[in-house]
Amino acid sequence: MGIVVQKFGGTSVADSEKIKNVADAVIKEKLNGNKVIVVVSAMGHTTDNLIKLSKEITSTPLDREMDMLLSTGEQVSMSLLAMAINEKGHKAVSLNAMQVGILTEPNHCRARIVDIKQERVKRHLDNGEIVIIAGFQGITTDGEITTLGRGGSDTSAVALAAAFKADRCDIYSDVEGVYTTDPRVVPTAQKLEVISYEEMLELARVGANVLHPRSVETAKLCDVPMGVRSSFKLDDLGTLIIGVDKMELHKPVTGLACDSSQVRIVICDVPDKPGNAGKLFTLLANCGLSVDMIIQSYARSMGNTNDIAFTIDKNDVPKFDKVAPEIKSIMNPSNIHIDEDIAKVSIVGAGMIDRPGIAATMFETLAKLGINIKMISTSEIKISCLVEKCHAKEAVVALCNVFELDGADIADVKGDLPV
Ligand code: ADP
Ligand code: ASP
Ligand code: MG
């Protein structure tokens, strides 16, 4: 008897009717002869609403208290799903991270899973029960509750699939699979039958929030067969994520993503001497700030200073504000500028390796639209450009067109439009 892990996202468990539908999908998998582990997200917009509530109290809550608050969401959906399955005459039990033993680093709000205990889940599976587990949460060896970062239930599911050597990990969502770009933004985006772990990882990192980046990282590392499917069209196979060595690469660009969740910070006129960049990024790291794109300008001949620009998550601005006085006193910059009007548009494709001209085509396309590029960063299979927010949509549409990522079909996407 094989083990299958199914993960259902917030839209899939948004109300009691949807939870009953999910119960049917889970029971179907069990009747196929599998042992089933289910991972659930919080219902609908629960996590967003809990964050809003905390902001009514304070703009700088302790990360520990945020974890205590946000981890409650998944416990509601897991118990309701267990009840729905029981009601339909099948045995199910819901477990939180502490009951399973999903151990993480002691790093609140962005913890990494380090170990998953097997005994309790195995006992229930061997007893013929379907095991429903709260996604997104973990527990430290000191008994503290942690969370894995927004969208982290995907990572809970893949980590459980790896720990229990599952045959498959199916991520059920409100889309029919992974598309060339967000089908809510470009309705003619094309569904991909397969995508490589490497490309999916880059796409997830640059803002395609259909999968949590660490879920793809874990699947690649542990060789977990993983797919993205629709909770509303259970017979559709969705998108399979496989090794790049198994793929035929036709197009240079496989997908495109846009991320409006960052701000750009420019530290102006930093003295051009060894050690300053080290000091700056150590200060940022010490207060838990993750930095994405970084640019240091050439030193100006007159003043012997340069500007250091970088991007961080916009939710981390209050943390940056706290450390800014220290940056000012240590580095004596002429100004610190925070630019909120930015969006990062990225193209991703393993097929761009050894194909010259892809960056040129991207920059030319933006130039033709009169779009100014504020920052650029690249990896072997990705090119990202920072542009003004108001130009993001037209950049995405034009780049989809130029790299042949759109088609004639209109994607069928369930749920609310992104706000
Ligand atoms: P869930 O609650 O099921 O985890 P998410 O909202 O986290 O769902 O992820 C699904 C959403 O991801 C879709 O509704 C879609 O708008 C968005 N998305 C962004 N990029 C893509 C893409 N390339 N392919 C499919 N969906 C994408
Ligand atoms: N509920 C959490 C969130 O909204 C985790 C998840 O859905 O994966 O980010
Ligand atoms: Mg998600």
Side-chain angles (χ1 to χ4, degrees), residues 331-372:
M331 325 204 77
N332 198 26
S334 64
N335 193 12
I336 295 182
H337 181 67
I338 302 184
D339 185 1
E340 293 185 356
D341 182 24
I342 55 152
K344 185 174 70 175
V345 179
S346 310
I347 56 171
V348 171
M352 67 172 80
I353 300 173
D354 293 332
R355 270 197 178 107
I358 305 302
T361 305
M362 181 178 193
F363 304 155
E364 285 280 331
T365 305
L366 298 179
K368 274 187 199 145
L369 295 166
I371 299 175
N372 187 37

Side-chain angles (χ1 to χ4, degrees), residues 25 99 197 212 225 275:
Q99 291 168 310
Y197 291 116
H212 192 239

Side-chain angles (χ1 to χ4, degrees), residues 49-51 53-54 64-73:
N49 293 338
L50 291 171
I51 291 173
L53 207 54
S54 74
R64 178 192 184 274
E65 299 309 330
M66 282 310 286
D67 279 350
M68 293 299 286
L69 178 68
L70 299 190
S71 58
T72 60

Side-chain angles (χ1 to χ4, degrees), residues 153-202:
S153 298
D154 299 335
T155 298
S156 310
V158 176
L160 282 157
F164 287 92
K165 301 199 172 22
D167 294 343
R168 288 193 334 265
C169 181
D170 289 329
I171 307 288
Y172 287 87
S173 189
D174 55 358
V175 271
E176 285 171 31
V178 178
Y179 284 69
T180 48
T181 192
D182 189 341
R184 291 177 193 276
V185 177
V186 180
T188 53
Q190 291 169 303
K191 191 175 100 183
L192 301 164
E193 300 292 313
V194 289
I195 184 168
S196 66
Y197 291 116
E198 292 76 1
E199 290 169 311
M200 191 61 240
L201 184 54
E202 282 286 14

Side-chain angles (χ1 to χ4, degrees), residues 101-333:
I102 301 179
L103 297 176
T104 72
E105 296 169 337
N107 198 4
H108 286 292
C109 293
R110 48 171 71 89
R112 281 180 172 262
I113 296 174
V114 291
D115 192 23
I116 295 182
K117 303 287 174 216
Q118 309 255 334
E119 301 79 32
R120 176 109 192 233
V121 172
K122 266 206 173 130
R123 185 163 23 105
H124 289 294
L125 288 175
D126 291 343
N127 193 28
E129 290 162 283
I130 294 165
V131 181
I132 323 283
I133 298 176
F136 182 49
Q137 54 177 260
I139 188 94
T140 68
T141 46
D142 290 341
E144 283 292 294
I145 292 174
T146 52
T147 61
L148 312 182
R150 293 304 308 270
S153 298
D154 299 335
T155 298
S156 310
V158 176
L160 282 157
F164 287 92
K165 301 199 172 22
D167 294 343
R168 288 193 334 265
C169 181
D170 289 329
I171 307 288
Y172 287 87
S173 189
D174 55 358
V175 271
E176 285 171 31
V178 178
Y179 284 69
T180 48
T181 192
D182 189 341
R184 291 177 193 276
V185 177
V186 180
T188 53
Q190 291 169 303
K191 191 175 100 183
L192 301 164
E193 300 292 313
V194 289
I195 184 168
S196 66
Y197 291 116
E198 292 76 1
E199 290 169 311
M200 191 61 240
L201 184 54
E202 282 286 14
L203 268 180
R205 280 187 183 141
V206 295
N209 60 358
V210 62
L211 285 177
H212 192 239
R214 288 213 311 278
S215 69
V216 189
E217 204 175 88
T218 308
K220 180 173 183 279
L221 199 71
C222 304
D223 245 332
V224 177
M226 179 183 189
V228 176
R229 307 172 64 160
S230 165
S231 336
F232 306 99
K233 272 197 185 170
L234 295 174
D235 293 333
D236 194 309
L237 289 180
T239 302
L240 210 61
I241 303 167
I242 59 173
V244 74
D245 48 322
K246 300 192 183 91
M247 292 196 57
E248 279 195 64
L249 301 171
H250 298 295
K251 290 182 189 169
V253 177
T254 303
L256 186 152
C258 178
D259 181 3
S260 306
S261 69
Q262 297 189 342
V263 296
R264 179 176 69 154
I265 297 179
V266 188
I267 316 284
C268 305
D269 295 310
V270 177
D272 185 34
K273 56 180 189 197
N276 264 349
K279 276 185 207 152
L280 170 64
F281 289 102
T282 303
L283 282 174
L284 299 177
N286 286 348
C287 54
L289 278 166
S290 284
V291 171
D292 181 20
M293 300 169 102
I294 302 175
I295 284 188
Q296 178 175 307
S297 66
Y298 273 123
R300 295 184 194 121
S301 52
M302 291 296 288
N304 218 15
T305 62
N306 49 37
D307 297 341
I308 301 180
F310 54 89
T311 60
I312 60 169
D313 192 295
K314 65 181 172 201
N315 292 319
D316 282 340
V317 170
K319 278 188 190 163
F320 178 79
D321 288 340
K322 274 196 172 169
V323 78
E326 206 175 337
I327 294 174
K328 279 184 190 151
S329 81
I330 294 178
M331 325 204 77
N332 198 26

Side-chain angles (χ1 to χ4, degrees), residues 43-77:
M43 292 170 73
H45 297 292
T46 301
T47 310
D48 291 334
N49 293 338
L50 291 171
I51 291 173
K52 242 183 245 161
L53 207 54
S54 74
K55 283 189 175 153
E56 288 172 20
I57 308 275
T58 167
S59 65
T60 51
L62 291 177
D63 286 347
R64 178 192 184 274
E65 299 309 330
M66 282 310 286
D67 279 350
M68 293 299 286
L69 178 68
L70 299 190
S71 58
T72 60
E74 273 67 14
Q75 293 196 196
V76 173
S77 44

